């Protein structure tokens, strides 16, 4: 009898909790945002006072940047885009929320390197050409954590802001425009090794930033 009573109480509490969740106004919020991963849209469903889910896509942020190592001057064209799916927790049942979930970022750069001197690792620069390659800061599904402000607790226009972080995983690949490192000679073998060392140096410097900051702002409308 006691077991039946306890089971009945648990079932009643679960039913009351479910009823309370669905008693809340289910609100959908659509936002236009821009920030460190580009510009795009944010869609959120707040299904209770304290919980919701959201999805976002941003992209189209490209720029050029210069970077130099001891032996090479690099020109890079950086491309950024990111998709996100998170669970959002509103601890004060207002606009402030904590967010955790997954992000699919694509942050990389197409790079062209110009050796500074007349020779590079024993090869004449004229015969070597330039160094071409790709530097990837982060790619693939990554964990995401953040906090923000979304006025999803009331209908109408509002403002949106969110900051968060994702871990980085730098990877660099380089080759020469002439392809001389692929020749079957001792000097070419040495050049291949030196290029791998240059890739490692760039990756080590990128690893000094173990996370990438995500920050977006925008406007939203809650239905």
């Amino acid at each position: 009898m006691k077991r039946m009573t306890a089971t009945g109480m648990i079932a009643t509490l679960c039913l009351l909790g479910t009823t309370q969740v669905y008693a809340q106004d289910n609100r959908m919020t659509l936002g236009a945002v821009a920030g460190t991963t580009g510009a795009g849209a944010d869609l959120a469903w707040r299904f209770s006072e304290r919980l919701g889910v959201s999805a976002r896509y941003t992209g189209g942020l490209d720029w050029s940047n210069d970077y130099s190592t001891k032996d090479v001057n690099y020109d890079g064209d950086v491309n950024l885009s990111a998709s996100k799916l998170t669970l959002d927790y509103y601890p004060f049942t207002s606009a402030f929320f904590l967010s955790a979930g997954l992000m699919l970022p694509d942050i990389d750069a197409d790079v062209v390197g110009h050796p500074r001197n007349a020779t590079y690792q024993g090869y004449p620069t004229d015969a070597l050409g330039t160094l071409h390659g790709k530097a990837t800061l982060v790619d693939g599904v990554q964990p995401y954590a953040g906090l923000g402000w979304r006025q999803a607790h009331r209908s109408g226009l509002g403002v949106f802001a969110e900051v968060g972080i994702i871990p980085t995983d730098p990877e660099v690949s380089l080759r020469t425009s002439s392809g001389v490192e692929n020749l079957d000679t001792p000097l070419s073998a040495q050049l291949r090794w030196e290029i791998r060392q240059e890739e490692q140096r760039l990756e080590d410097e990128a690893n000094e930033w173990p996370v990438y900051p995500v920050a977006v702002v925008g406007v939203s409308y809650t239905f």
Side-chain angles (χ1 to χ4, degrees), residues 36-37 59-67 74-81 106-112 133-138 212:
T36 59
T37 55
L61 183 59
D62 306 323
W63 77 87
S64 297
N65 193 27
D66 299 330
Y67 183 77
Y74 291 97
D75 300 320
D77 294 322
V78 183
N79 310 289
L80 294 94
S81 64
D106 184 7
I107 305 174
D108 57 44
D110 295 317
V111 298
V112 177
K134 176 167 285 190
T136 301
L137 182 62
V138 58
Y212 182 80

Side-chain angles (χ1 to χ4, degrees), residues 6 17 24 88 106 118 124 129 177 200 208 214:
Q24 304 296 334
D88 302 326
D106 184 7
S177 59
Q200 189 61 55
E208 294 179 2
V214 177

